[in-house]
Amino acid sequence: LAEMTALNQRIEDAQLQLLQSEKMASIGQLAAGVAHELNNPIGFVHSNLGSLETYLEDIFEIANACELAAAQAANPEDFAHIDALKAEKDFDFVKADIFQLMHESKDGLSRVKKIVQDLKDFSRVDDVEWQWADLHHCLDSTLNIVWNELKYKCTVNKQYADALPQIHCLPSQLNQVFMNLLVNAAQAIPEKGEITIITTHPDQDSVRISVRDTGSGIAAENLARIFDPFFTTKPVGKGTGLGLSIAYGIIQRHKGRIEARSTVGEGTTFIITLPVDSQGGKVSGTAAPSAPTP
């Protein structure tokens, strides 16, 4: 009976993890669809702004020609009327400010376009095959997606290796791991703090990604359980306890390992080690969470 109960629990846990994975896949598909739909209006608004900027330059050129013609006509009444109208409408300020507004608008659209592209790169619902990917690009895309969760609570320091090789992986799944670690790091910071992302190339066959926060840390008795399904230290309703468990499974699938080191009151560091070629070179085993840093 005890064995059957344990087996039933494992089946239930597996079903819930599958549901969570399916939910993430659905969200990714939705995000990719929204990103695709946003591309068209962003494109034509950006194009229209470019045309509008050209039209404004032509209008101001015509206005300058009219002003010069009025001055050369030596009709003081007409010239005085133009001067009064310019002063009333604050023409000199408008002329200087309007192109700054156009520049800021185009810059804003470019940023939105970048977010949309990162959203598509993050979801990659069509990429079901293993491929070679740039981890720095994956990290930057994920950072851009979760930036709203981070910007009010912490600064992000990126310490990227100068020459990190591409690795053979499932990029959308690694993006999910990075997203989980970054959001967890932000949520662990009570008020203000720092998140540091470090990438290294310890040897020719592997790469390493560290995500370090200055949050509240994890107690030693909880550290050994953080990768267990449904284990969470968050309040009821704030976490499913599946995020790190799924991340652990993804890293296992990539023949890598994930470790956690933490000191209460100082922060937590997650270290991911991945093989460059998951079908060739291996990183042996998948490490259990390490003991707290002394």
Side-chain angles (χ1 to χ4, degrees):
L1 180 60
E3 288 178 0
M4 289 297 297
T5 302
L7 182 58
N8 285 337
Q9 185 61 48
R10 288 175 60 188
I11 292 173
E12 184 179 348
D13 291 350
Q15 287 175 330
L16 288 171
Q17 288 195 59
L18 180 60
L19 286 173
Q20 181 75 0
S21 298
E22 288 177 348
K23 184 174 75 171
M24 288 299 297
S26 298
I27 291 171
Q29 189 169 6
L30 178 64
V34 170
H36 179 73
E37 291 300 319
L38 283 174
N39 265 337
N40 287 335
I42 288 172
F44 70 68
V45 171
H46 194 276
S47 176
N48 288 352
L49 279 175
S51 299
L52 180 58
E53 191 171 23
T54 302
Y55 297 159
L56 287 170
E57 289 172 351
D58 293 344
I59 289 170
F60 283 121
E61 186 178 349
I62 294 168
N64 289 336
C66 291
E67 186 177 349
L68 181 61
Q72 291 175 344
N75 188 334
E77 292 182 1
D78 289 343
F79 199 63
H81 177 68
I82 291 173
D83 279 345
L85 190 59
K86 285 173 63 178
E88 179 186 347
K89 303 297 183 182
D90 205 359
F91 181 77
D92 291 335
F93 172 77
V94 170
K95 185 177 179 180
D97 191 51
I98 197 165
F99 290 105
Q100 179 65 26
L101 292 178
M102 294 295 297
H103 174 75
E104 290 175 358
S105 298
K106 291 170 72 176
D107 181 62
L109 273 178
S110 296
R111 290 170 62 186
V112 172
K113 189 174 182 181
K114 177 69 166 59
I115 292 171
V116 168
Q117 184 58 50
D118 286 340
L119 197 58
K120 292 177 70 177
D121 291 345
F122 179 85
S123 55
R124 289 179 180 267
V125 292
D126 296 328
D127 293 341
V128 294
E129 296 183 355
W130 291 72
Q131 59 188 275
W132 293 93
D134 180 352
L135 283 182
H136 289 165
H137 178 72
C138 292
L139 285 164
D140 288 339
S141 295
T142 305
L143 269 172
N144 207 17
I145 296 301
V146 302
W147 185 240
N148 194 58
E149 290 279 338
L150 312 181
K151 61 183 178 181
Y152 298 114
K153 297 190 68 176
C154 57
T155 56
V156 177
N157 303 313
K158 295 191 292 187
Q159 300 176 16
Y160 288 176
D162 290 334
L164 197 72
Q166 291 193 340
I167 72 165
H168 197 238
C169 65
L170 295 166
S172 61
Q173 292 196 6
L174 290 185
N175 286 343
Q176 185 176 343
V177 174
F178 299 149
M179 178 183 71
N180 185 272
L181 295 184
L182 289 167
V183 171
N184 280 357
Q187 292 175 346
I189 296 172
E191 294 179 2
K192 291 285 186 180
E194 293 184 0
I195 295 175
T196 302
I197 305 171
I198 304 170
T199 62
T200 56
H201 186 27
D203 56 61
Q204 64 178 3
D205 295 325
S206 64
V207 296
R208 186 166 293 151
I209 307 99
S210 299
V211 179
R212 184 174 67 222
D213 66 65
T214 58
S216 53
I218 303 170
E221 61 270 21
N222 293 329
L223 191 62
R225 300 184 58 199
I226 58 173
F227 295 110
D228 291 350
F230 309 107
F231 176 79
T232 180
T233 57
K234 296 175 183 177
V236 175
K238 294 293 185 181
T240 63
L242 284 173
L244 286 176
S245 175
I246 290 172
Y248 187 89
I250 290 171
I251 299 304
Q252 274 192 319
R253 186 177 184 184
H254 284 77
K255 299 186 175 74
R257 65 174 181 263
I258 180 169
E259 307 168 72
R261 301 172 184 173
S262 187
T263 302
V264 174
E266 295 184 11
T268 302
T269 301
F270 282 90
I271 303 169
I272 298 171
T273 306
L274 294 166
V276 170
D277 184 357
S278 57
Q279 305 304 311
K282 295 182 180 180
V283 177
S284 57
T286 306
S290 62
T293 304

